[in-house]
Amino acid sequence: MATVELTAENFDEVVGGSEMVLVDFWADWCGPCKQFGPTYEKSAEKHTDVVFGKVDTEAQQQLAAAFQIRSIPTLMIVRDGVVLYAQPGALPESALEDLIEQARKVDMDEVRKQVAEQNAEQQA
């Protein structure tokens, strides 16, 4: 599956409507972003059940600001609407593959339970 260009207009629809989404925050002028690009694309071709999105931080400044992106490339993994991972830095192929497998193994029922408990504590 090819990567999807994410914008402020389609972000919620794409991310909210998919079980697992990887988001690459990048910019055209960023050397490490360009180095990471082929690795990300290769992984997108391999994992056809996962949505691979790209956010051009220059064109989508509001979206980058909403996620407090301070360094690029930044990779974010969202599963069932919950951000499981968000870290800056270009990853080698083996690390990206390992991260995807780890995200697949996360018990989302447990994550939702923890999020609900945290929300309840904040409201108390």
Side-chain angles (χ1 to χ4, degrees), residues 38-102:
T39 301
Y40 192 72
E41 295 288 338
K42 184 176 179 183
S43 199
E45 295 294 327
K46 183 176 178 181
H47 299 279
T48 57
D49 61 322
V50 176
V51 174
F52 283 72
K54 294 180 75 72
V55 175
D56 180 345
T57 58
E58 290 295 308
Q60 300 297 321
Q61 292 181 9
Q62 287 180 308
L63 198 51
F67 287 98
Q68 300 178 353
I69 302 302
R70 304 276 182 257
S71 180
I72 53 173
T74 289
L75 181 67
M76 185 168 73
I77 299 178
V78 181
R79 197 163 148 215
D80 295 342
V82 178
V83 176
L84 297 180
Y85 177 90
Q87 293 291 318
L91 297 173
E93 184 178 347
S94 60
L96 179 58
E97 291 299 317
D98 184 53
L99 192 58
I100 292 168
E101 291 311 311
Q102 287 181 46

Side-chain angles (χ1 to χ4, degrees), residues 103-117:
R104 288 184 192 279
K105 293 177 183 174
V106 170
D107 181 346
M108 291 309 294
D109 289 334
E110 183 62 29
V111 170
R112 281 187 284 277
K113 179 182 167 192
Q114 290 175 2
V115 169
E117 288 172 359

